[in-house]
Amino acid sequence: MPWIKPASILAVIALATTQFFNSDLGLKLYPVIINTVMAITFAYSLKSGPTIIESFARIKEPELDEKGVNYTRQVTKVWCAFFIINGSIALYTSLFTSLQTWTLYNGLIAYILIALLGLVEWLVRQKVKSNGSE
């Protein structure tokens, strides 16, 4: 998990900013930081390989074929887009909405969206796998 170190460093900076300026903005930016680091990490894995999703897939299927590798590249791109969109919404809620709205989105809705994306990806993967075995 190469994203842990930069995310941790940025989180410490956000917390220090919050303390130094006596403002909750640093804390509210934490989801933005995490989404940004995740988007960068996933995008970097597209360039450098293997992708993050391919690495996860190889845990269960070490002998992943070329079709599987291509599929994992596409899924990695989807997650990159998700992190960019989710991080943008988190930034908007941090800067322009009430704490209640920020909490609702970043503490509930974002996690529901992550679960939904995971579920949709799993369903698509099952379809792709069943089409490949016919």
Side-chain angles (χ1 to χ4, degrees), residues 24-133:
D24 63 353
L25 183 60
L27 291 175
K28 289 170 75 176
L29 290 175
Y30 185 72
V32 179
I33 293 166
I34 295 301
N35 279 278
T36 301
V37 170
M38 295 294 283
I40 290 168
T41 302
F42 275 55
Y44 181 76
S45 78
L46 281 167
K47 181 179 179 190
S48 65
T51 65
I52 300 290
I53 302 297
E54 179 184 341
S55 297
F56 289 151
R58 286 189 184 276
I59 293 170
K60 280 195 162 187
E61 296 183 39
E63 301 301 320
L64 195 63
D65 63 11
E66 190 62 29
K67 184 178 176 184
V69 170
N70 289 334
Y71 176 79
T72 60
R73 287 189 65 74
Q74 297 309 311
V75 173
T76 301
K77 290 175 186 177
V78 169
W79 278 104
C80 285
F82 174 83
F83 291 130
I84 291 167
I85 293 166
N86 194 51
S88 297
I89 295 169
L91 178 61
Y92 179 83
T93 63
S94 297
L95 298 176
F96 303 113
T97 69
S98 67
L99 182 58
Q100 183 179 10
T101 301
W102 177 88
T103 303
L104 177 63
Y105 183 79
N106 293 287
L108 178 64
I109 295 171
Y111 289 100
I112 291 170
L113 294 174
I114 291 167
L116 283 173
L117 181 55
L119 175 63
V120 168
E121 189 283 320
W122 182 82
L123 292 169
V124 170
R125 184 173 1 122
Q126 300 314 304
K127 182 72 173 165
V128 167
K129 286 172 116 178
S130 69
N131 287 344
S133 63

